Amino acid sequence: MSLFVRNSLIALLTATAITGTVAYAVNYLNAARIAELGAIEDQLSIDTLSLDTQFSLLERAPCDSFASSTTLISSLADLGDRLSYAESQLGADNAQVIRLKQQYSLLEIRDYLITKQLAVACGTKPVTVLYFYSNAGDCSDCDRAGYALSYLRNTYPSLRVYSFDYNLNLGALETFIAINKIQDSLPAFVINGKQYYGFTSLEELEKQFPKGALSTSTPK
Amino acid sequence: MSPEMFMYPFLFITLYFESFLLVTFLSKPARESRLPTSRSTDTPRVAIIVPCWNEEATVAGTVESLLALEYPKERFSIILVNDGSADGTRAVFDRFASHSQITALHKENSGKFAAMNLGIEYAKDAELIGFLDADSLVAPDALCEIVAAFEPDTMAMTASMSIHKPRTLLQRMQYAEYLLAIIFRHVFASINSLYVTPGPFSFYRRSVFTALGGFKHAHLAEDMEMAMRMQRAEMRIGNAIRARVYTKGPSTTSKLIKQRVRWTTGFLRNVLFEYRDLVGSRKNAALGMFILPLGIIAIGAGIFVFVLALVQVLQRGFDAISLAQTVPLSYTLSMGEFTWFYLPVTMITLLGAMLVLSTLIWMVAGKHLSKTPGALALNAVVYLLLYGIITPFWLVRSISDVALKTSTTWR
C-alpha cells in the first residue's frame, strides 16, 4: 500500500471519527438540555400541584401563598425561554420538544387558573397576558411581539405572561383557545380578559394594558 | 432542508484535508525532510536568475541579499535580466554591472518567461539554476539550505516564502497565509505533489530544461506550468523548509486581487486546459486524485460558503436589528443570566472552531519550522477576520475570466 493510500485511509477514518465524536457531543448536550427542561418541568409541576392541593385542603384561598405563586410565574418564564432556545436548536418538529411544550402549556394553563382563583378569593389584581403565537411561518410579527413581552416581563416582574403555541396539538390548549375565543390571527393577546390582535410597536401594545397596570408595578 | 445543511459536506472535506495534512506531516518522508540540515561540502555551481520588469525600487535590495548569501562566491553567479523596463531598472543594473558574480542583460519586453529563458541560456556552467523575483529578498543561509535539500532524485527545489515586514492589514493577512502555505508546501513535497515552483527562489537541475525545454507563457503562471510539466514527466519536486525568502506582498486590495486572479486563472487554465490528464491520474495519485481535485473544489467551495454565510449573516442581522428596535436598546444590550444551557454548541460551530484551531496550529508550525521571523498573533487574527471576506472576490473574478476567456494582465 502506498504512503498516499495509507494516509488517505487514516485521514478518512480520523475525519469520520472526529465528525462522529462531535455529533455525539452535540447530541449529548441536547439530551442534557432536554433532561434539564424535564427536571424543571417536574419541579414546577409539583409546585403547581402543591398550590392547587393547598387550595383544596383549606377549602379557601391560601392567600399567604400568593408570593410563591409569583415565584412560580418567574420560573415558568425562565422555563419558557429555555424551551424556546431548545426548540431553535432541535427544531420545532422534535418529538421531545413537542412533548415538553405540551407539558409547559399545561403548567401555564394550570397556573393561570390558580392565579385567577387567588385573585378572586384574595382580592388581588394581577395583570395577566395570554399570548398566542405561531412558528409555522405564518406569523411575521410573532418574534417581535414575543421579544416585546419578554422586555415587559423583565421590566415589570409582577406581570404574568403566558405564551402558547397556537398550533400545538393539545386538547386542553384547544379548549383554552376555544373558551377564550381566540381567532386564527396571530399574534393574539388577551390582556386581563381583553383581546388584542397584531403587533406594531411596544408603545401600541402597552396602550392595551389597563391604566396604571404597568406603572404601578415595581420596575426591575 | 436548512441552508446550513449544505455546509456539512464542505466541513467534512476540509476536516478530511486537515487530517490528511496531519497524517502526512507525521509520516516518515516529511519527518526526515525536517531533520537539521547537515552542511554539505558539496557545492554545485549555481546560477540565480532575476527577471525584472520595472523593478527599480526593489531590485537593488534583491541583488544585495543575493550577494550576501553564505555560499562560495566562485560557485554561484547572478544573472539579472531586464525585460524591457520603462523605469530606472537599467540604471540600477549598471550599478552592479562590474561585479564579478553578476551578469546584467537587457532585452525588449516579451514577458517574464522569456526573460527567465534568456537567463538560462547564460547559465551554461551551472548545475543548479534558480530564480528570484525582483521584489524578494533571501536569508543568508537560504542557498545552503536549498542545495543541502537536493536528493539525488530531486529535480527541483522550492523554498519557504514569507511576507517581508508586513505593515498594512492586507500584508498582515498575507503573512499568516504564507505561513500556512509553508506547511502545505512542506507536506505536499513529502508526497511529491507540488504543482507550483514559485518565482521566489525555486531551483532546478539544468537537466530539467534540457529534457523539458524552457519556460512558457502559460497564462502568466510559468512557475505553475513548469511544475506541472515536471509532474507529468514524473520528476520530483522538493521543499527546503528552512530556506527562507521574503517577498513584498501587495499592499492594497486591488493589487492583491489582481495578483490572486493571475494565480487562480493560471491554475484553472493550466489544470483544466493544458494538464487535464494530471487530474485523476493514478501515476501520481496524491497529486491527481487529491491535491488538484481539492484545489478545484476549494475554488467553488470558497464562493459557495461565502455566499451562504453572507445570506445567513444578513438574514440574522436583519432579524436582530428588527428585534432590537422593538424595545429600548438598554434591554437588548443587558446581559442576561448565562448558563451552559445556552452554549451555542452545534455541529457547525464545533467543527468550525476545530478547523480554526487547526489553522492556527499550522501557522505556528509553519513559523516555527521555517524559523520565519515576525509576530504571528495579530497577523493571525487579521487573517481570520479578513481572508474569508476578500478571497471570494478574486475567486469569482477568476472563474468569470476563465469562463469568458478574458485575458489576464500582470499588473
Side-chain angles (χ1 to χ4, degrees):
Chain A
M1 188 187 288
S2 73
L3 179 72
F4 166 67
V5 173
R6 190 201 71 164
N7 287 0
S8 298
L9 289 175
I10 295 173
L12 186 62
L13 286 175
T14 308
T16 307
I18 290 172
T19 308
T21 308
V22 167
Y24 177 79
V26 171
N27 200 41
Y28 181 84
L29 193 71
N30 284 335
R33 282 194 181 111
I34 293 288
E36 168 116 340
L37 287 174
I40 296 171
E41 282 197 348
D42 284 348
Q43 186 57 51
L44 285 179
S45 182
I46 291 168
D47 292 347
T48 312
L49 195 59
S50 168
L51 198 60
D52 204 19
T53 309
Q54 268 184 290
F55 222 120
S56 303
L57 282 173
L58 297 170
E59 292 181 347
R60 62 182 171 82
C63 293
D64 55 345
S65 298
F66 201 81
S68 63
S69 168
T70 304
T71 312
L72 256 181
I73 190 66
S74 169
S75 303
L76 261 178
D78 176 56
L79 177 63
D81 289 343
R82 287 170 188 254
L83 197 48
S84 175
Y85 183 76
E87 189 176 1
S88 70
Q89 294 289 305
L90 297 167
D93 53 354
N94 182 286
Q96 288 171 304
V97 168
I98 292 172
R99 185 181 59 79
L100 287 167
K101 276 177 77 173
Q102 288 171 332
Q103 288 179 1
Y104 174 68
S105 299
L106 283 175
L107 282 172
E108 286 193 303
I109 295 171
R110 194 82 205 119
D111 186 78
Y112 173 70
L113 294 176
I114 292 175
T115 301
K116 275 182 73 172
Q117 285 177 297
L118 281 172
V120 171
C122 305
T124 55
K125 290 181 180 175
V127 181
T128 59
V129 182
L130 303 179
Y131 166 54
F132 296 89
Y133 66 91
S134 165
N135 51 18
D138 54 352
C139 178
S140 57
D141 289 328
C142 280
D143 284 346
R144 291 171 63 230
Y147 196 57
L149 279 176
S150 294
Y151 162 74
L152 290 175
R153 197 187 62 212
N154 273 274
T155 310
Y156 307 104
S158 59
L159 192 65
R160 305 177 81 90
V161 179
Y162 302 94
S163 304
F164 300 97
D165 182 347
Y166 190 84
N167 302 311
L168 192 65
N169 185 18
L170 179 67
L173 179 60
E174 285 163 10
T175 306
F176 192 63
I177 288 171
I179 288 172
N180 286 285
K181 298 186 177 68
I182 307 299
Q183 295 164 22
D184 184 11
S185 173
L186 304 173
F189 307 86
V190 180
I191 301 170
N192 273 9
K194 187 184 158 199
Q195 290 186 2
Y196 173 66
Y197 290 92
F199 178 82
T200 50
S201 68
L202 177 66
E203 292 72 26
E204 283 299 314
L205 180 64
E206 283 177 328
K207 282 181 190 168
Q208 305 306 317
F209 282 81
K211 205 170 181 182
L214 294 177
S215 58
T216 53
S217 303
T218 309
K220 216 177 184 179
Chain B
M1 187 189 285
S2 159
E4 290 178 357
M5 293 295 286
F6 292 105
M7 289 286 281
Y8 291 128
F10 294 113
L11 281 172
F12 185 79
I13 290 172
T14 312
L15 192 62
Y16 176 52
F17 173 75
E18 295 277 338
S19 304
F20 181 83
L21 206 63
L22 178 65
V23 176
T24 309
F25 179 82
L26 297 174
S27 296
K28 195 176 173 188
R31 283 202 319 268
E32 287 182 345
S33 74
R34 291 195 293 272
L35 291 175
T37 316
S38 55
R39 286 296 165 96
S40 170
T41 51
D42 185 23
T43 52
R45 187 169 284 280
V46 174
I48 301 169
I49 298 164
V50 183
C52 302
W53 181 55
N54 296 338
E55 305 279 8
E56 64 172 348
T58 55
V59 69
T62 303
V63 175
E64 278 157 13
S65 80
L66 286 174
L67 290 172
L69 282 170
E70 295 162 353
Y71 199 78
K73 304 293 179 198
E74 68 283 4
R75 302 297 290 169
F76 87 95
S77 60
I78 301 165
I79 301 169
L80 307 176
V81 186
N82 177 9
D83 184 29
S85 298
D87 66 351
T89 299
R90 176 183 283 271
V92 179
F93 275 27
D94 290 344
R95 276 169 46 200
F96 294 101
S98 59
H99 200 286
S100 61
Q101 284 177 276
I102 295 177
T103 304
L105 306 171
H106 301 274
K107 62 184 274 296
E108 292 293 309
N109 179 257
S110 51
K112 185 180 176 184
F113 74 100
M116 294 164 86
N117 288 338
L118 180 65
I120 294 170
E121 283 179 32
Y122 278 80
K124 291 195 186 316
D125 62 343
E127 296 164 59
L128 298 178
I129 300 174
F131 298 86
L132 182 64
D133 288 347
D135 61 352
S136 305
L137 308 168
V138 288
D141 61 349
L143 185 52
C144 288
E145 292 285 348
I146 290 276
V147 170
F150 263 96
E151 296 288 338
D153 66 336
T154 313
M155 299 307 285
M157 187 61 62
T158 57
S160 283
M161 282 180 288
S162 53
I163 295 293
H164 184 56
K165 293 183 179 169
R167 288 195 176 87
T168 67
L169 282 179
L170 284 181
Q171 287 172 330
R172 290 181 178 282
M173 178 192 86
Q174 292 170 76
Y175 175 90
E177 179 200 19
Y178 274 52
L179 291 180
L180 278 181
I182 285 173
I183 282 294
F184 289 176
R185 206 173 294 115
H186 167 66
V187 172
F188 293 174
S190 75
I191 48 172
N192 192 27
S193 296
L194 289 179
Y195 59 83
V196 59
T197 38
F201 227 47
S202 287
F203 283 74
Y204 306 80
R205 289 191 190 277
R206 160 168 289 287
S207 56
V208 171
F209 302 116
T210 310
L212 303 180
F215 287 94
K216 298 177 180 175
H217 179 274
H219 311 287
L220 292 179
E222 70 294 321
D223 49 3
M224 211 175 276
E225 192 276 339
M226 177 55 83
M228 289 184 190
R229 214 184 320 164
M230 290 179 68
Q231 288 290 3
R232 185 186 269 166
E234 297 181 49
M235 292 180 173
R236 187 167 194 86
I237 303 170
N239 172 246
I241 195 167
R242 284 180 297 274
R244 291 184 307 279
V245 53
Y246 308 102
T247 191
K248 193 182 161 201
S251 55
T252 65
T253 310
S254 62
K255 285 179 186 170
L256 179 69
I257 289 179
K258 188 106 184 159
Q259 180 197 57
R260 298 313 171 94
V261 166
R262 182 163 51 79
W263 291 0
T264 312
T265 54
F267 172 77
L268 285 173
R269 284 169 171 149
N270 278 303
V271 172
L272 298 179
F273 305 141
E274 318 293 340
Y275 292 91
R276 194 182 290 183
D277 55 301
L278 289 180
V279 182
S281 166
R282 292 189 175 192
K283 271 202 302 188
N284 185 343
L287 180 71
M289 302 184 76
F290 189 73
I291 305 296
L292 289 180
L294 272 188
I296 296 167
I297 290 172
I299 292 173
I303 297 170
F304 178 81
V305 171
F306 173 76
V307 171
L308 199 62
L310 187 67
V311 169
Q312 293 278 309
V313 166
L314 287 178
Q315 200 173 356
R316 292 185 182 185
F318 180 77
D319 288 348
I321 291 169
S322 172
L323 279 183
Q325 286 177 337
T326 306
V327 300
L329 190 62
S330 57
Y331 176 69
T332 304
L333 298 178
S334 65
M335 297 288 288
E337 184 196 0
F338 191 84
T339 68
W340 68 268
F341 192 92
Y342 293 108
L343 277 176
V345 177
T346 64
M347 285 283 283
I348 288 177
T349 55
L350 269 188
L351 288 176
M354 288 176 71
L355 292 174
V356 167
L357 184 65
S358 70
T359 299
L360 293 173
I361 291 172
W362 285 127
M363 283 177 190
V364 172
K367 181 171 166 30
H368 174 73
L369 291 173
S370 63
K371 297 187 167 59
T372 297
L376 173 60
L378 174 63
N379 299 338
V381 171
V382 175
Y383 172 87
L384 291 176
L385 292 176
L386 286 186
Y387 197 73
I389 298 171
I390 296 177
T391 306
F393 288 97
W394 73 66
L395 295 181
V396 169
R397 173 76 192 276
S398 300
I399 289 177
S400 152
D401 282 3
V402 171
L404 301 173
K405 297 182 180 173
T406 307
S407 62
T408 307
T409 53
W410 194 268
R411 286 175 189 156

